[in-house]
Amino acid sequence: MMAVSQNNLLDQVLAYANRPNPYPLFAQLREHPVLAQGDGRYVVSTYKEINDILHDPRFSSDMSKCYSKEDQRVVEEEGQIPGFVFLDPPKHDWLRHQVMSKFTPDLIYSQKPRLLEVVKEALDTRRNVQQLDIVDDVAYPVPVTIICEILGVPRSDEYLFHEWSDQLILGNDTSQARNPEIRMQTLKAIKSIRTYMADLINAIKRQPREGLLSAMLHDTTNEKLMSNDELVTTSVLLLVAGHETTVNLISNSMFTLLRFPEWLERLRKEPELAAQVVEEVLRYEPPVQMLRRTSLADVTIAGVTIPKGAPIHLIIAAANRDPEHFSEPDRFNPERKDIDHLGFGGGIHYCVGAPLARLETQVTLVELARRLENPQLIDAAPPYRLGASIRAPRHLFVHYDHMRD
């Protein structure tokens, strides 16, 4: 018999009151790998089932194919070509290839010297004050600077797209998308950032410059190039997604290390542990907590038939602590061997920016561990961002005795 959540566990997960610690709710969800909500939504919370869905072409990331009238209305309101992360093959594959052919591993790893400079510059501004906000002083400016330089977006315009970016993330969040006021603000932000990017692309067309946008615009290797609308949409996606995940990954990583100071001290002494620390944070406290999918047919998962067009919520953070897949899942252990987390998703929609996010977070954590002497949380229960889909502290104030050179 199909389990139906009478008290709507999904709504409890989405409630802001549970943002600091949603993991007890995730444990309840895992008691039923696929749980129907009373309003027609489905929640999947176990590792095997989510991993299977992420690799199954019968599940779509295109919300317009969902039978939820609310989701269809959101797509119609935006009225734009969606980013490729919200498209299915073959369109998704072609657009993704246009990006990946330029956003190469060589390009990403060539950023490491500049990345180290940016981290040092961010920390130097707080050298003499013995206090910093990990989020606003480090986690935000570092990835924003790097993605602007990679794309060829003027860093001086950051003040313009900072608010737009925050609003786009919030407007696409499962917990906020049905709020009329937030939807109105999100639509305004979409119009503003698309206008900005269209103007920038036109300027680059007239005068090529360094950066990924110019490379895509002036590509001579492809017979078919992206349309102007596709370029604008893809550019907005790269600008927003290119820093948003990393901001929250850095924040979650430092919050976790400050709660487990023995690992912060080990990282200071053994910087080579950085890669393992980041992978374990992606499992233990992933910034992306959940993903959306829609079923393209009636599909049976774990004995439950999900009907065609159903809105499906994949609780990545619950799967990452599934005791059927991970040993001691609630223990933070960067030396664990079973580290095949779902923190960057999976399948054809695996995060394009994952290599850059990993590099940025590793370099930043090593510098924070090396330079901050005796760092301590000022608030052990910091405020969280409003959204549920991307979860991280909004501020993370830290006191330290001294900042090393």
Side-chain angles (χ1 to χ4, degrees):
M1 182 178 178
M2 180 177 70
V4 179
S5 173
Q6 299 302 320
N7 56 356
N8 210 320
L9 279 173
L10 178 59
D11 281 349
Q12 293 183 53
V13 169
L14 301 180
Y16 184 76
N18 292 312
R19 203 73 74 246
N21 183 19
Y23 294 100
L25 287 172
F26 294 163
Q28 290 183 53
L29 283 173
R30 286 195 302 267
E31 294 174 8
H32 302 283
V34 180
L35 186 61
Q37 306 298 286
D39 56 9
R41 293 176 292 176
Y42 286 76
V43 183
V44 187
S45 54
T46 44
Y47 185 97
K48 179 185 182 302
E49 283 66 34
I50 289 180
N51 193 45
D52 286 349
I53 287 173
L54 289 173
H55 291 83
D56 191 330
R58 294 175 297 175
F59 293 92
S60 168
S61 64
D62 184 346
M63 287 197 303
S64 69
K65 297 177 181 178
C66 177
Y67 60 46
S68 163
K69 299 299 182 185
E70 187 67 30
D71 287 326
Q72 291 176 4
R73 183 180 64 78
V74 166
V75 174
E76 290 168 3
E77 277 181 352
E78 294 185 1
Q80 311 290 344
I81 297 172
F84 60 82
V85 296
F86 302 110
L87 293 174
D88 297 330
K91 189 70 170 179
H92 161 273
D93 298 353
W94 184 78
L95 285 170
R96 184 183 176 102
H97 174 73
Q98 302 309 302
V99 173
M100 295 297 288
S101 63
K102 304 291 183 296
F103 196 51
T104 63
D106 285 347
L107 171 65
I108 291 167
Y109 292 113
S110 71
Q111 303 299 313
K112 188 170 183 179
R114 174 59 180 148
L115 174 57
L116 186 56
E117 284 180 5
V118 173
V119 176
K120 288 181 176 179
E121 290 167 4
L123 288 175
D124 284 346
T125 64
R126 309 298 297 176
R127 177 186 291 276
N128 300 316
V129 293
Q130 295 184 292
Q131 178 178 316
L132 59 77
D133 179 359
I134 294 293
V135 180
D136 285 351
D137 295 328
V138 183
Y140 181 79
V142 169
V144 164
T145 299
I146 296 300
I147 196 62
C148 283
E149 292 181 358
I150 287 175
L151 292 177
V153 174
R155 180 69 171 86
S156 57
D157 289 344
E158 180 274 333
Y159 75 97
L160 290 170
F161 59 75
H162 186 177
E163 185 176 344
W164 299 334
S165 177
D166 285 349
Q167 194 59 52
L168 289 181
I169 293 296
L170 192 60
N172 281 301
D173 193 277
T174 300
S175 68
Q176 304 300 319
R178 299 184 181 191
N179 182 315
E181 183 178 346
I182 286 178
R183 283 305 304 161
M184 182 176 66
Q185 294 170 351
T186 300
L187 292 172
K188 184 178 178 181
I190 289 172
K191 182 178 179 180
S192 297
I193 198 169
R194 285 184 62 87
T195 299
Y196 169 85
M197 198 59 72
D199 290 344
L200 178 62
I201 285 171
N202 286 333
I204 295 174
K205 282 180 179 178
R206 294 190 298 268
Q207 183 64 51
R209 63 178 72 173
E210 293 292 321
L212 194 64
L213 297 184
S214 190
M216 289 191 294
L217 272 168
H218 299 96
D219 189 354
T220 59
T221 62
N222 284 322
E223 291 183 6
K224 180 185 176 186
L225 298 178
M226 282 189 270
S227 69
N228 204 60
D229 276 352
E230 289 167 344
L231 270 168
V232 169
T233 300
T234 301
S235 302
V236 170
L237 175 65
L238 291 174
L239 180 61
V240 175
H243 75 271
E244 192 65 41
T245 299
T246 310
V247 172
N248 297 299
L249 179 55
I250 293 171
S251 303
N252 283 353
S253 296
M254 270 308 287
F255 188 28
T256 303
L257 289 171
L258 288 162
R259 286 183 294 160
F260 299 98
E262 67 276 16
W263 284 107
L264 186 59
E265 180 61 17
R266 280 199 59 182
L267 181 61
R268 185 180 71 80
K269 295 177 179 177
E270 306 169 60
E272 64 275 11
L273 277 175
Q276 291 168 262
V277 167
V278 171
E279 295 310 304
E280 177 67 342
V281 171
L282 282 161
R283 183 198 71 82
Y284 185 78
E285 290 280 14
V288 178
Q289 297 264 295
M290 60 189 75
L291 296 171
R292 288 287 311 276
R293 291 294 185 267
T294 297
S295 49
L296 299 178
D298 291 356
V299 184
T300 301
I301 302 288
V304 175
T305 299
I306 301 175
K308 180 180 179 179
I312 305 163
H313 300 261
L314 308 179
I315 313 298
I316 299 296
N320 278 349
R321 295 204 189 188
D322 187 344
E324 295 296 317
H325 191 83
F326 297 100
S327 61
E328 298 184 281
D330 293 320
R331 178 185 171 213
F332 179 69
N333 177 20
E335 291 182 320
R336 71 169 56 247
K337 303 302 179 185
D338 50 340
I339 198 60
D340 52 338
H341 59 76
L342 300 174
F344 284 126
I348 64 170
H349 290 287
Y350 186 82
C351 178
V352 168
L356 180 60
R358 284 183 164 111
L359 179 65
E360 289 173 327
T361 306
Q362 290 167 21
V363 170
T364 304
L365 292 182
V366 168
E367 279 301 289
L368 284 166
R370 183 183 71 81
R371 295 191 63 182
L372 300 186
E373 187 174 299
N374 190 30
Q376 301 288 329
L377 281 169
I378 293 175
D379 183 358
Y384 270 79
R385 295 182 181 275
L386 187 58
S389 299
I390 297 181
R391 174 181 167 272
R394 175 59 192 91
H395 295 287
L396 194 64
F397 292 104
V398 174
H399 178 274
Y400 47 91
D401 296 341
H402 174 69
M403 186 180 289
R404 303 179 183 96
D405 291 330

